[in-house]
């Protein structure tokens, strides 16, 4: 799944299959036009919540030698 890091509307979220390279460059150009993008594997189980590791410069953010994580829960409307 590719989506903008900020303000990810459903219309700007792209689900790609492995080895689907035909339209990847135009998709990346479209979603990075206004900033950074996120690439992540889609996991249906994440609908119940997930834990995310925070990275800075490709390295985990650490405080007191412990990696920083946060738990993301789906919104309940």
């Amino acid at each position: 799944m590719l989506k903008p890091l900020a303000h990810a509307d459903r219309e700007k979220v792209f689900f790609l299959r492995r080895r689907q390279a035909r339209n990847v460059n135009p998709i990346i150009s479209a979603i990075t036009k206004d900033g950074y993008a996120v690439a992540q594997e889609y996991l249906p189980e994440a609908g119940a919540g997930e834990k995310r590791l925070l990275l800075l410069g490709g390295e985990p953010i650490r405080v007191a030698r412990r990696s920083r994580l946060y738990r993301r829960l789906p919104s309940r409307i």
Side-chain angles (χ1 to χ4, degrees), residues 1-15:
M1 175 172 36
L2 294 172
K3 63 183 181 178
L5 183 59
H7 311 293
D9 298 333
R10 288 188 182 266
E11 64 191 40
K12 290 189 176 182
V13 176
F14 294 88
F15 293 91

Side-chain angles (χ1 to χ4, degrees), residues 35-74:
Y36 293 100
V38 174
Q40 64 188 60
E41 183 175 359
Y42 174 74
L43 300 173
E45 299 85 7
E50 61 194 72
K51 293 180 182 174
R52 294 185 176 193
L53 173 66
L54 300 176
L55 301 174
L56 180 62
E59 295 293 324
I61 295 175
R62 298 182 189 278
V63 176
R65 300 180 70 155
R66 297 183 68 187
S67 296
R68 297 291 93 187
L69 300 165
Y70 72 95
R71 185 172 179 203
R72 181 181 170 276
L73 298 173

